Amino acid sequence: MTTVPTKEALVVILDIGLGMHKHHRSVGGGGISSSSSSLSSQSQHLLQSANNTSPIDEALKAATLLFQQKLIYGKKDELGLVLIGTKETNNSLQKDGYQHITTACNIEEPKVETLRFLESIQPGESRGDVIDSLIVAMDMLIHKTEKKKFQKRIFLVTNASDPINKDDLSILQQQFKNTDVKLNVVGVDFTDEEDLENKIQLTEKEKNEVFLRRFVQSVNGILVPVKQALEIMSFFRSQSVLSRTGFRGVLEISTEFGIPVWGYLRTKIQTLPTLKKVSTVAQQADNPASLEVKQEKLHYSITDPDKEILDHDLLKGYKYGKSIIPYSKIDIEALKLSASKCLKTLGFAPASHIPLHHLMGQTEVLVAPPGDQEAALALSGIIHALAETDQVIIVRFVKRSNCSPYLGYLYPHIKANYECLYFNPLPFIDDIRHYQFPPISPKNPQCKKQYQPTADQLNAAHSLIESMDLMTADEDDEGQPMPSLRPKYTYNPSLQHFFQCLHHRALHPKTPLPSLDPLISKYINPDENILERASDAIKDFHSKFTLTKVNNFKSDHKYRWKDGMLIEEEIKLDSYIGQDDDGSKKKRKADDLADYSLDKLVSGYVNEVGSINPVQNFKDMLARRDIDLVDKAINLMRSRIVQLVNDSLKDQFYQKALECVVALRQGCIKESESDAFNTFLQELRDYFESKKRDDFWQLLVTWKITLINDQESDTSSVSEEESKKFLGVKPKPVQPLQAPSNNKGDTVDDLFDQIE
């Protein structure tokens, strides 16, 4: 199998002759293919400033962008620059009559100095021959790649206005085929190909255009208009979208059956390049070995500052409380996970069981190794079987030996010209974040009436979404709807702005950074045309969902972060918060974390309200975010309160039962379940008042545990006056128990309390 060279030798031929001085005229696309026309439709806003520029300005911009791309990404590639139409002649073939052609830069690694030279180029004063310049560039490539392996390419930018000598055409065509040189021609101010075919009388420039098109086709080259070339090269890419990741192994279907596969990278997260510091001393040296700044770290003993500690005497340490636990290299190796390279099938699952929002990381493409027909046939059978049964393969993926293992899945991808398996990592249970939001669907029985949207509101929301659908927001050349934002032609805005600033600072180190480019602004701001079309839907949505400003709003509960934990500030009833000595209400401190203990942090997923710590169990069930246990928690707490009262020896469990009633009242206020508590409190009154456990009911009266009123919860239909009258009867004198404390450290442990 022939290895394709990874480096490229490229010669840029830039026409600056007299024919390039003519003013720019607006013409057609110059024969854009159907695939590229969609790109132009999406990016038609690009480079509008070029409409008022001359051909030589556009040619210089195209050449500059190419050098700029190679300088940033193609550091292994080497470029040369040839100018057509210069007054003087300076090239390796000038003795053979190749006049007014100058080799401005030999084929070498791209440099910033070349960009500065392009910025200072002045229009030429003569006419040069395009075919002569191609022969000069071909000669440069032959000498450069004589002893080294390169991919070879010539990049010609011209408007074909100057005369063309066709004497050496056949020799040049043969040279392109023999040396495997690719030709890219950027046509500046070219007439549309369809217009040329319909014309009867052609100008000299148009005849040259026809000749260049035919010549490019004869050597299997590509000709693109300058507008399209500028669109493509105006964006910076990090690397090829489809590149090999290095995985070459076997897809293990079972212990006895495996298919060789090669892995390629399909998508990845793009980050900004690292900015390495450069040594000024190395820059000033005649032969700097490296310009990067090297940091040297020296370690000294705390007890003896003059004693240097060598690297092999150092140990890692992890802080545990006030102690530091040493972690030696032996410990690291002993505890290091050892995993062998593999792609092992764990099982099969329906594709519908894997939601899209569970996909993590980058996407890999798995195909059969090149030339392995048996592997390609076997892999094709697996791919089509998965597609027909709508199944996926769950796999364990270790890309390299001793690398981190991934749990992922493979799903089929079939196109007209190829088929493959895509790999995506799947999350473990700790990677999934469960967010519990109140349901708003009118079909959901848990949705409260005050939150249910009306039919008009649902229609307004549906119309708003439809009016701003990006899949049909644009039109192609034939007026058919097409996507407005195609990911294939959408580039990272932060990366684009970074490299534009980098290019500007390299050429103009003392000037301020440029403002945000309009091309980038187009990506990060909403499309004005889409907003204009959706204006009626937006206004209708605003009218259906009116917002009312609430003054003196008091939230039922608040959440805040402290020390890495989500702390919930709980509601306190005025009747059992207590009072200060001066009679004012006590206020709970915001940073009071006394009710947070190790028991609460390790409580895990609680599903029952136990008898040992019912209050904490109840709170944990309400705090669950993976499942809604509100109704279950309330019912269990009600049963637990009744049990504690009935099983109590005299008033032994009254304290705990009272705390449970307080916690239940709090929870019902937070979860908007006031009716559940009010009904339960009325049942307690019927059970215990003037009966065997009347002393417990009198305890509730003493602590003024009354109904939840409409001032405390929007879901309550009980007024504040009715809640005060509910207790009604003057309580009998009883010895009050200790007030329920929300400070877990101040209460006696429930288990020991029962034992006593």
Side-chain angles (χ1 to χ4, degrees):
M1 185 175 59
T2 305
T3 304
V4 179
T6 58
K7 298 190 296 183
E8 182 181 49
L10 186 148
V11 178
V12 179
I13 303 175
L14 181 60
D15 192 350
I16 60 172
L18 293 175
M20 294 285 287
H21 299 183
K22 297 179 180 179
H23 292 292
H24 182 277
R25 57 186 173 86
S26 178
V27 293
I32 304 175
S33 63
S34 59
S35 60
S36 61
S37 65
S38 60
L39 169 63
S40 298
S41 178
Q42 177 191 344
S43 306
Q44 56 188 335
H45 63 279
L46 295 172
L47 309 162
Q48 294 178 353
S49 59
N51 291 336
N52 298 322
T53 59
S54 64
I56 195 170
D57 293 330
E58 292 184 335
L60 278 171
K61 188 163 188 177
T64 301
L65 286 173
L66 180 63
F67 270 88
Q68 193 172 323
Q69 294 271 358
K70 291 293 184 181
L71 180 64
I72 294 173
Y73 300 118
K75 295 183 179 179
K76 294 182 179 180
D77 300 339
E78 299 187 16
L79 286 81
L81 178 62
V82 174
L83 302 179
I84 309 175
T86 57
K87 183 178 181 181
E88 64 282 350
T89 301
N90 183 12
N91 62 77
S92 58
L93 302 178
Q94 62 185 18
K95 295 180 180 179
D96 299 328
Y98 297 89
Q99 300 298 310
H100 304 297
I101 297 174
T102 299
T103 303
C105 175
N106 291 317
I107 301 177
E108 59 185 7
E109 293 183 0
K111 298 178 180 178
V112 177
E113 287 73 14
T114 309
L115 290 176
R116 294 196 180 102
F117 174 76
L118 286 170
E119 202 173 48
S120 62
I121 284 181
Q122 299 296 324
E125 301 177 9
S126 303
R127 298 182 184 274
D129 186 8
V130 170
I131 299 298
D132 288 351
S133 67
L134 290 173
I135 294 174
V136 171
M138 182 69 70
D139 182 70
M140 293 172 63
L141 286 173
I142 292 174
H143 284 86
K144 180 65 180 180
T145 60
E146 188 175 4
K147 297 181 180 180
K148 295 182 180 180
K149 291 185 177 180
F150 283 92
Q151 295 185 44
K152 300 176 282 291
R153 183 157 61 109
I154 295 176
F155 192 87
L156 171 63
V157 187
T158 181
N159 68 345
S161 291
D162 292 330
I164 298 177
N165 183 9
K166 306 178 181 66
D167 294 340
D168 299 328
L169 185 61
S170 59
I171 299 175
L172 182 60
Q173 289 174 335
Q174 194 62 37
Q175 284 263 0
F176 269 100
K177 296 178 181 179
N178 294 340
T179 56
D180 192 23
V181 177
K182 296 180 174 59
L183 176 62
N184 297 148
V185 177
V186 176
V188 181
D189 197 14
F190 268 37
T191 307
D192 189 273
E193 190 172 9
E194 295 181 0
D195 295 340
L196 286 177
E197 293 176 356
N198 297 329
K199 273 195 173 186
I200 300 176
Q201 189 71 25
L202 300 179
T203 63
E204 288 299 321
K205 179 182 181 305
E206 291 170 340
K207 291 179 181 178
N208 290 341
E209 292 179 15
V210 173
F211 164 74
L212 275 181
R213 292 182 191 276
R214 292 174 180 172
F215 176 75
V216 169
Q217 291 177 357
S218 67
V219 296
N220 296 322
I222 299 173
L223 188 146
V224 294
V226 69
K227 288 289 192 304
Q228 182 185 342
L230 291 176
E231 286 178 4
I232 297 172
M233 293 190 299
S234 292
F235 299 101
F236 299 94
R237 300 165 180 82
S238 59
Q239 61 180 9
S240 176
V241 175
L242 189 63
S243 61
R244 189 168 63 81
T245 63
F247 177 79
R248 295 184 182 182
V250 177
L251 170 58
E252 301 177 30
I253 304 299
S254 67
T255 56
E256 300 178 354
F257 177 59
I259 304 174
V261 292
W262 279 18
Y264 295 84
L265 183 66
R266 186 68 178 95
T267 60
K268 64 172 293 187
I269 298 175
Q270 180 61 58
T271 57
L272 292 177
T274 57
L275 299 177
K276 298 180 179 178
K277 295 182 179 180
V278 178
S279 170
T280 305
V281 177
Q283 283 181 306
Q284 296 174 353
D286 296 334
N287 296 313
S290 176
L291 295 178
E292 295 182 11
V293 175
K294 296 182 179 179
Q295 295 183 350
E296 295 182 358
K297 295 182 180 180
L298 301 177
H299 305 275
Y300 296 92
S301 173
I302 297 177
T303 57
D304 187 4
D306 296 330
K307 181 181 179 181
E308 182 180 348
I309 301 176
L310 301 179
D311 289 341
H312 63 267
D313 294 330
L314 294 172
L315 290 178
K316 289 184 177 180
Y318 292 90
K319 194 172 182 181
Y320 183 76
K322 295 183 178 180
S323 303
I324 296 179
I325 309 301
Y327 191 55
S328 65
K329 293 182 179 179
I330 299 176
D331 297 328
I332 295 175
E333 293 298 325
L335 297 176
K336 185 178 180 181
L337 176 64
S338 178
S340 301
K341 175 181 175 182
C342 73
L343 181 60
K344 185 177 181 180
T345 299
L346 301 179
F348 296 85
S352 59
H353 288 189
I354 301 178
L356 288 177
H357 63 273
H358 280 185
L359 305 189
M360 299 175 61
Q362 57 195 26
T363 304
E364 311 267 350
V365 178
L366 297 177
V367 295
D372 193 337
Q373 296 298 328
E374 293 182 358
L377 185 61
L379 191 64
S380 177
I382 292 290
I383 292 171
H384 283 271
L386 292 174
E388 291 174 7
T389 59
D390 197 22
Q391 297 275 313
V392 297
I393 307 177
I394 308 299
V395 295
R396 183 179 190 264
F397 182 38
V398 183
K399 188 177 296 186
R400 291 179 294 274
S401 295
N402 295 326
C403 215
S404 298
Y406 289 95
L407 175 68
Y409 83 112
L410 303 176
Y411 57 98
H413 183 73
I414 301 175
K415 289 290 185 180
N417 54 348
Y418 75 97
E419 53 191 28
C420 64
L421 286 174
Y422 280 160
F423 168 81
N424 268 106
L426 290 174
F428 293 98
I429 188 63
D430 294 334
D431 296 323
I432 301 176
R433 302 291 182 264
H434 296 282
Y435 300 101
Q436 185 177 0
F437 300 100
I440 61 172
S441 173
K443 298 180 180 179
N444 194 319
Q446 297 181 0
C447 181
K448 302 185 184 302
K449 293 183 178 180
Q450 64 268 32
Y451 301 136
Q452 290 184 3
T454 63
D456 291 341
Q457 289 176 327
L458 289 175
N459 292 333
H462 180 75
S463 300
L464 178 63
I465 295 172
E466 289 293 328
S467 64
M468 303 187 73
D469 186 2
L470 295 178
M471 295 303 296
T472 57
D474 207 347
E475 294 182 354
D476 57 15
D477 296 338
E478 299 178 356
Q480 298 297 323
M482 62 174 291
S484 175
L485 196 66
R486 300 180 63 186
K488 186 176 181 180
Y489 304 121
T490 304
Y491 304 96
N492 188 329
S494 60
L495 189 69
Q496 301 302 311
H497 188 54
F498 170 81
F499 281 119
Q500 287 180 350
C501 292
L502 185 66
H503 172 72
H504 179 85
R505 181 52 57 87
L507 299 182
H508 311 285
K510 296 183 179 180
T511 59
L513 292 177
S515 58
L516 188 65
D517 193 281
L519 308 181
I520 303 173
S521 178
K522 188 73 176 179
Y523 285 131
I524 63 177
N525 293 316
D527 193 318
E528 294 182 359
N529 295 330
I530 296 177
L531 290 178
E532 184 178 355
R533 288 197 297 267
S535 59
D536 294 338
I538 295 173
K539 292 178 182 178
D540 185 47
F541 185 83
H542 276 295
S543 63
K544 295 295 189 299
F545 293 88
T546 56
L547 299 178
T548 305
K549 185 177 180 180
V550 179
N551 296 321
N552 301 324
F553 175 74
K554 294 182 179 180
S555 175
D556 288 345
H557 54 279
K558 298 179 180 179
Y559 298 92
R560 60 187 178 84
W561 286 97
K562 179 162 182 167
D563 298 332
M565 296 188 299
L566 185 62
I567 308 303
E568 180 180 352
E569 298 181 12
E570 300 184 354
I571 297 175
K572 293 289 189 291
L573 290 175
D574 294 343
S575 54
Y576 62 84
I577 287 180
Q579 294 181 341
D580 289 327
D581 297 337
D582 58 357
S584 60
K585 296 177 183 178
K586 286 184 179 179
K587 294 183 179 179
R588 180 174 181 266
K589 295 181 179 179
D591 58 349
D592 184 12
L593 302 179
D595 56 342
Y596 281 84
S597 63
L598 184 61
D599 293 337
K600 180 172 181 179
L601 296 177
V602 301
S603 59
Y605 293 125
V606 179
N607 293 301
E608 298 291 337
V609 176
S611 59
I612 305 300
N613 197 354
V615 172
Q616 189 60 57
N617 295 157
F618 177 70
K619 291 180 179 179
D620 290 340
M621 290 183 69
L622 295 185
R624 286 281 294 271
R625 291 296 177 261
D626 57 327
I627 188 173
D628 187 359
L629 296 178
V630 174
D631 293 338
K632 181 179 179 181
I634 292 174
N635 292 331
L636 291 176
M637 180 59 100
R638 291 169 56 168
S639 301
R640 184 63 64 192
I641 292 170
V642 174
Q643 180 194 359
L644 287 172
V645 175
N646 291 331
D647 294 349
S648 178
L649 182 60
K650 294 186 178 180
D651 61 353
Q652 181 184 8
F653 298 149
Y654 283 6
Q655 174 78 24
K656 182 181 289 188
L658 176 63
E659 292 179 353
C660 290
V661 174
V662 172
L664 179 62
R665 194 178 194 277
Q666 285 181 279
C668 289
I669 293 175
K670 294 177 187 178
E671 302 297 337
S672 299
E673 297 287 350
S674 57
D675 292 342
F677 178 81
N678 292 344
T679 302
F680 175 65
L681 194 61
Q682 291 172 354
E683 291 175 355
L684 284 182
R685 183 172 189 172
D686 296 337
Y687 290 157
F688 302 133
E689 187 179 23
S690 302
K691 295 179 183 178
K692 183 178 178 181
R693 295 291 181 176
D694 181 67
D695 51 347
F696 177 73
W697 174 253
Q698 297 305 323
L699 184 64
L700 296 181
V701 175
T702 301
W703 292 107
K704 298 181 180 179
I705 309 299
T706 185
L707 301 176
I708 300 174
N709 58 58
D710 54 7
Q711 298 298 316
E712 296 173 294
S713 175
D714 294 337
T715 60
S716 175
S717 59
V718 179
S719 65
E720 187 175 5
E721 185 178 354
E722 289 174 343
S723 67
K724 292 179 180 179
K725 291 181 179 179
F726 173 74
L727 300 178
V729 183
K730 184 177 180 181
K732 299 177 181 179
V734 295
Q735 183 66 27
L737 296 175
Q738 180 184 358
S741 172
N742 287 285
N743 189 334
K744 195 175 178 84
D746 294 340
T747 59
V748 181
D749 185 89
D750 295 320
L751 181 60
F752 286 99
D753 187 34
Q754 290 192 42
I755 294 175
E756 292 175 358

